[in-house]
Structure formats: structure tokens, C-alpha cells
Amino acid sequence: MKLLKVFVLIICSALCFSCTKKTASVLTAQADTAKIPLYALNKNAESAEITKKQNSGYMYFAFDECSDRICDGKALEIKISFAKGSAEQPKFCLGWLFDEDFVAPFKLAKTLGSHPFVSGKAENTLCLSIAVPKNKIVRGFFVYSDVATKIESAEIVNARIGWSTKGEAAWFGFNSEGGVTGEITNPVDITSRPAMKLTVQLTEDPVLIAKYAKQIIRLNVGGTGIDIQIAPHQKNITLYPSLLQKADAPQTASIINGSSLVSGLIYEPVLPVDVETPLAPIVAEPGLIADWPKSAWRRDDFEVFSWEQFPNILFFDTRNYEIQDLLFKRLAFFVEKAGYTGKLVSDSVMKNQHGFNAHDYRAESLANFFELARVNNFPLNEYEIMLRDILIGHGIITVRNDGSYSAGLGALLSISQESSNYLRWKFIAHEGLHCIYFTNSDFRHEVSNVYSQCDRTSLEFLLKYFSVTPSLNYDIKDTYLIENEFMAYLLQQQLSEVADYFTKVLATKRTINEKCPELVNYVLETEGREFYNAAVKLDSYLSEKWGFASGRIWLVRTSKLK
């Protein structure tokens, strides 16, 4: 946002109280659960209001000199209302008062020096935030307005930069250098700082969402293109500029296309998680997880994310298949492997058997696994214990008063860095769809309807494939599992690729050809049309419900800028 500095020269003897007596303002500053007293340094500040009849257009406030909450990383945020005035372009400004502006604890100097501040057009109601500067002692703040003005509230909050039109009043946040309100198309400063995120607020107007359903919002974040797909129910997208910043690009974020569909850009701190967990999940969109730089992982062996659109779904990304097996292989046998379901198998039994290259599990299965291990005092490995504690911290499994485990809300999926980039994207789509199935009853009902209407011979082929393929060995009597897999096999690729996947990939596998040649021939003769027809129905549901498509469960991708 545009920087504005002016020299503020004020004869304070006419405006300020001549003594150092504390005179409380009716306005206080909320700081978390505490209230910070504000002291009036002129008449207007007593009532936190500038009326039409008063000569001065200023309000001066002082903080209690013992306050330690006005520090680096914090900001003053006020809600301020302006009356209609006769001026054609009425102005306001908000700025800090520093230690050097005072000659006594609650007495301003006769003249004030150069102060950076926030300014803009004084109209309607605004929320304004200005960050506390480094290496300066902040003693108070001032407000000037050309028109009758009232400060509705004041808070000490975490410093944020940007703008938002989502609330009842437009919000503008600035660094300690200030700036000008109203210029929402200007770039937002994303100067690198630890633990910061960029929140992209999206329109919630159903008319706009329907009209621009296929519209892509494009941002420039530190020189990296970010493409965002408009979707129903998606209110925010979280980005991490430090991962996107190009060395030769400005440290700013701006909108290239689709500005009418963006309600805000806010650069703000990543708040700490207030639960006990070995690794609090990073909020992220699936389209960013696949390419998340391993150098940014908090551990060397795996990272864990939570899906922004479905916060109770966790993504695990592991360094290799070995780490993934340590986390999930025993679970795979317990949940899905025919002949082992419901059983805790030893390491020696699993040693020479294949697990999966990607995983997905619902809360009920996870709770049952860890509860059986608890009851039987089964020796879990260190990764399984860590997994249990992460799931408890995130509420996917819960601990009863007697120490037993029960299902909470959510699901998880896992991919590995050892998989090719192509497979990682396919696994994210496949396993992510499973997790939506686990957590959304309406989606399960839709899948069930499509499954029941599908051509029976085509279904028989798929069931045989599930049961005879050694690396799968699914229990085909488990209707919940089979309908879930049916859905994922249809939707893990684009619609244009569905028929080919069944005819040119699955139908070419040796085992299914050896054991069920007649079913293979049927799928080839019908050219996979029945699978395609079923996929079209589910694709339409995904699009209307969440803005997804066959082969795509992400709303965000990085792109190259021209």
C-alpha cells in the first residue's frame, strides 16, 4: 500500500491539558482478555469523539506507562465512524505518539515531529490497523478528521497487513510506516518474517460464484503465480509467501485477474495451536501439498497438513515408503487386507508382504486400531505412537475418561516422496476422494446410487480385479470399502481418461487376464463406456458441491507468470 509521511506540527498548548493529571477516556483498548486504560490528552479524547461544534479536529490518547502489551509484532486496531460533512474530500489520519512527543508522563510537547500515519477519505465506518514500530517507545496515538468522528472501539492485536471488505466495515491493515486506505488493488507488502501466512478471502456471494464458476483468480505472490478456482463454500485460501517468494521479485502480493471475486488479502501471523500434539498440522490446500518443498518440512522423515476445505482431514507426506510403512502398514492390514481385517499383525507377518504406496483411513478405523492395541497391550512402534498422539491432538480420535479410544471427526491420507510426481497427484486425488467419502454422508449416498445403477458385468470385472490383484486383495464383502474404491477408481483421473484407464491399464493386468478373461473381453468390447457414464454422474456432483472435478480435488495451483 502507498506510503504517506507528513510533518505534523501542532501547537499543543491550545489543545492539550496543561497539567500531568491522568484524565481517563471513555475509550479503552482491549488486549486479549484485558482492558488497557486510555487517557485523554485533549478534550475530544475524553469522549473519543470529534463533534461538529468543536474547534479541534484532533484526538490524543496516552497508554498507561506501565503497559507492556504495546510491543513489536502488535498493532493498534480501531473501529471509527465518520459523519457526512460539507468537505468535498474529507480526510482523516491515525498515527502513533512516541516517547519524544511527551514532556511529562501525560503531557504532550508543544510541537510534534514527523510521524508516519494511516490516512484516507473520512466516510462511513472503517476498521484501521497500524503496527507498532520497532526500536520506538510508543506512548499513545492520535486521530485527526475533517468531519464529526467517533471511535467505536480500540484493540491491541497481532499486526496484520492488507485489506478486507468482508465485514460490516471495510478493514485496512498497515505496517508501522502507515499508508492510504481504499487502494485495494495495490500490492500488499509480504516482507519476509517468521511464521507468516497470506489469507486470500474469497467472495461468498452465491450469484457471483454461480456466474463465475469456471473463473480462475490469478495472484502474483512474490513472483509466483497462484491460480485459484472459485468454488461453493470456500471462504479462504491460505498461502505461505516464504515458500513462493522468488529471489528477484518484489516482496508483494497482488491480484492479476478476478479482483471482483476477492474480498481480502491479509498478511498475518500463523497462530500457535493450543493443543498438545507432537506435530500440529499445517493448514494447506491439496494443490500446494504435492509440490511443498521438503526443505520446508519441520521434520526430516514426514510432514503433516490439514486440508483447508475439510479441516478434519489430514495429509501425511513421508520421505519414503519405509517411513510410510512404519506409520501405516499395520493399519492397512487391520483395515483392508483380506484375511487380516480386525487383527493386529506382528512385524514378522508383515515383513515380506506389500502394504500400500498411499493410504486413507477414517476415524472409526483409526480409533478401533488403537483401542485394540491398548486393550491387548500390543507393542506399537514409535511412529504409530506418534501418529496416535497427532490424531488425538487433532480430534480424529478421542480419549474417554477410562483411557479408552473412540472415533472423533475426520480422516487421514498418506502419500510418499518416493512416488513419482505423476503418481503423487493421482494419489492425492484418489485418497482425498476416499476421505471425503469417509466424512460426508451425502457423498456416500450419491456414490451408492451410482454404484447400484452401474452395469453389473462391468462391476463384476472391477470386483474381481479388487480381489485377485495381489497388491490389493480387498475384502469384496465389505460394501462400504468396495463402493468407496469404486468411486475413487472412477474419479482419480480426468473424465477424458476414464475409459482408457479401465481398458488400457486395468484390463491389461496379467492376473485379471489369467483368472477372468471373459470379463476383460467384456470391458474391452464395451470400451469402458459404463465406467465413463458412472464417472460423469459423480463428476457433476463434485462440481456442484465443492467445485471439484474428476481427477481434481484441489482449488489452487502454482503457475508461471509471463
Side-chain angles (χ1 to χ4, degrees), residues 42 79 133 153 232 268 402 426:
N42 72 338
K79 183 177 181 181
S153 63
E268 58 189 335
D402 62 0
K426 183 158 292 232

Side-chain angles (χ1 to χ4, degrees), residues 104-122:
F106 295 96
K107 184 176 180 180
L108 284 171
K110 289 186 177 182
T111 59
L112 304 181
S114 178
H115 287 62
F117 57 78
V118 173
S119 68
K121 189 175 180 180

Side-chain angles (χ1 to χ4, degrees), residues 247-447:
D248 57 348
Q251 294 188 50
T252 59
S254 58
I255 305 170
I256 299 174
N257 294 322
S259 60
S260 64
L261 303 174
V262 179
S263 299
L265 290 178
I266 304 176
Y267 188 49
E268 58 189 335
V270 178
L271 298 179
V273 178
D274 59 355
V275 295
E276 292 187 10
T277 175
L279 200 63
I282 298 170
V283 176
E285 224 281 335
L288 301 175
I289 292 172
D291 294 328
W292 197 276
K294 190 172 179 296
S295 59
W297 284 11
R298 295 165 294 173
R299 295 175 57 97
D300 179 65
D301 46 1
F302 72 91
E303 185 55 276
V304 58
F305 306 87
S306 67
W307 190 344
E308 185 152 37
Q309 197 166 3
F310 303 97
N312 288 321
I313 296 177
L314 300 186
F315 281 71
F316 285 76
D317 195 358
T318 65
R319 183 177 67 214
N320 51 36
Y321 292 141
E322 179 183 358
I323 299 298
Q324 187 171 238
D325 281 351
L326 287 169
L327 281 161
F328 301 112
K329 189 173 182 179
R330 202 183 326 268
L331 259 165
F333 278 75
F334 178 84
V335 175
E336 296 180 352
K337 293 290 189 180
Y340 298 100
T341 53
K343 300 175 183 177
L344 296 172
V345 299
S346 65
D347 292 347
S348 59
V349 171
M350 295 190 297
K351 185 176 180 180
N352 295 317
Q353 298 196 59
H354 178 70
F356 295 119
N357 292 342
H359 297 256
D360 60 85
Y361 302 106
R362 56 176 169 158
E364 292 80 1
S365 299
L366 294 162
N368 291 340
F369 174 83
F370 287 110
E371 175 60 10
L372 187 61
R374 184 193 71 86
V375 169
N376 291 281
N377 199 26
F378 186 90
L380 299 174
N381 67 48
E382 62 175 318
Y383 281 91
E384 290 166 328
I385 292 170
M386 195 184 314
L387 171 62
R388 179 198 63 195
D389 293 344
I390 291 171
L391 296 174
I392 292 171
H394 204 67
I396 293 178
I397 61 177
T398 61
V399 184
R400 299 189 183 99
N401 292 336
D402 62 0
S404 61
Y405 302 120
S406 61
L409 297 173
L412 72 80
L413 66 92
S414 173
I415 57 175
S416 174
Q417 297 273 316
E418 194 169 336
S419 298
S420 67
N421 190 56
Y422 166 79
L423 283 176
R424 282 168 62 80
W425 283 106
K426 183 158 292 232
F427 288 152
I428 285 176
H430 182 107
E431 311 301 341
L433 287 163
H434 281 320
C435 288
I436 298 174
Y437 181 91
F438 291 148
T439 56
N440 191 282
S441 58
D442 287 343
F443 186 43
R444 291 197 296 273
H445 181 69
E446 181 67 17
V447 170

Side-chain angles (χ1 to χ4, degrees), residues 495-504 523 527-529 531-532:
L495 279 178
S496 60
E497 299 171 354
V498 171
D500 281 353
Y501 178 70
F502 283 89
T503 58
K504 298 180 180 179
V523 169
E527 299 179 326
R529 282 191 303 272
F531 292 117
Y532 172 80

Side-chain angles (χ1 to χ4, degrees), residues 10-11 58 62 115 117 119 131 135 141 172 292 340 507 519 544:
I10 300 170
I11 306 302
Y58 285 88
H115 287 62
F117 57 78
S119 68
N135 306 317
F141 65 96
F172 296 91
W292 197 276
Y340 298 100
L519 292 176
E544 292 176 10

